[in-house]
Amino acid sequence: MNAKTAVVLLASMMMGGEAVAAPLEDYFSSLNTCYGRSYSSDHLQQHHGQQVIDMAVSHFPQKQELLGMDSPFQPYPDTPRMVLRLDVWLRGQDRSWQEHAICEPHGDSLSCAIECDGGTFEIEARDQDRLLVKLRSDLYFTQCDAGDAMLSRTAEDRSFLLSPLPRSHCSPE
């Protein structure tokens, strides 16, 4: 196929078919968003090995340029990469741990990596506007060597189903 044929084919596909939405575009648009889950005492008693007692994923698009993303600000999906904030409370800890992750489309999901080789996770859409966060490796909450928490990817800390929360539950800082 020559270049001219490829351009014509691509143009006809774009005009004739419905545009393909970016993964999770409805979840992370130009608005501030917050998803999370606090695990009940009953749940944690049934899952003794689970480290995570609370998790939140948030997106504050106006903060992206401050984190080294494209400037001037362009909301997702206008830019293929976005910054999400991951907040985690671990069992036995008296504080939450936060990290920023840079996420990119990967099929129907987002593939996210924590800065400074802090690990990777994937986010998939679920019914009722929920998100499934799946760890692909251990996660290190080190703020590039300024902290010391680790979330090990175990049988009980492998995936987390998060629901929409009021934006006030998540913080952009």
Side-chain angles (χ1 to χ4, degrees):
M1 173 183 325
N2 66 32
K4 184 177 179 181
T5 305
V7 170
V8 170
L9 180 60
L10 180 61
S12 66
M13 287 174 25
M14 290 172 63
M15 292 186 331
E18 195 172 298
V20 177
L24 286 84
E25 180 178 350
D26 293 340
Y27 294 79
F28 301 111
S29 63
S30 60
L31 301 174
N32 295 342
T33 56
C34 180
Y35 296 87
R37 181 171 181 181
S38 294
Y39 290 91
S40 68
S41 297
D42 290 341
H43 177 93
L44 294 171
Q45 286 176 356
Q46 294 173 15
H47 300 274
H48 297 286
Q50 183 174 332
Q51 301 171 75
V52 173
I53 60 174
D54 190 280
M55 178 181 281
V57 171
S58 56
H59 176 54
F60 295 91
Q62 73 278 10
K63 297 290 184 183
Q64 290 202 153
E65 66 184 69
L66 300 177
L67 297 168
M69 298 301 287
D70 296 331
S71 184
F73 164 71
Q74 293 181 351
Y76 182 76
D78 296 341
T79 180
R81 297 172 62 194
M82 79 169 133
V83 175
L84 295 181
R85 177 178 155 147
L86 179 66
D87 290 86
V88 176
W89 284 84
L90 300 175
R91 199 185 287 246
Q93 302 274 325
D94 61 355
R95 62 169 279 203
S96 68
W97 294 90
Q98 306 87 32
E99 278 292 351
H100 289 101
I102 297 176
C103 301
E104 297 180 338
H106 185 259
D108 290 339
S109 64
L110 292 172
S111 179
C112 303
I114 292 177
E115 295 182 286
C116 300
D117 296 326
T120 59
F121 59 96
E122 198 166 283
I123 300 178
E124 297 176 354
R126 288 294 184 258
D127 63 342
Q128 300 173 351
D129 292 329
R130 295 182 295 179
L131 297 174
L132 183 65
V133 175
K134 297 183 347 185
L135 302 188
R136 292 181 16 209
S137 68
D138 293 345
L139 300 183
Y140 296 90
F141 296 84
T142 65
Q143 288 83 37
C144 297
D145 298 329
D148 60 357
M150 179 177 90
L151 171 55
S152 299
R153 182 178 179 261
T154 65
E156 296 203 54
D157 284 304
R158 180 172 296 214
S159 61
F160 307 91
L161 187 60
L162 309 182
S163 297
L165 295 176
R167 292 179 188 130
S168 60
H169 182 83
C170 296
S171 169
E173 301 301 321

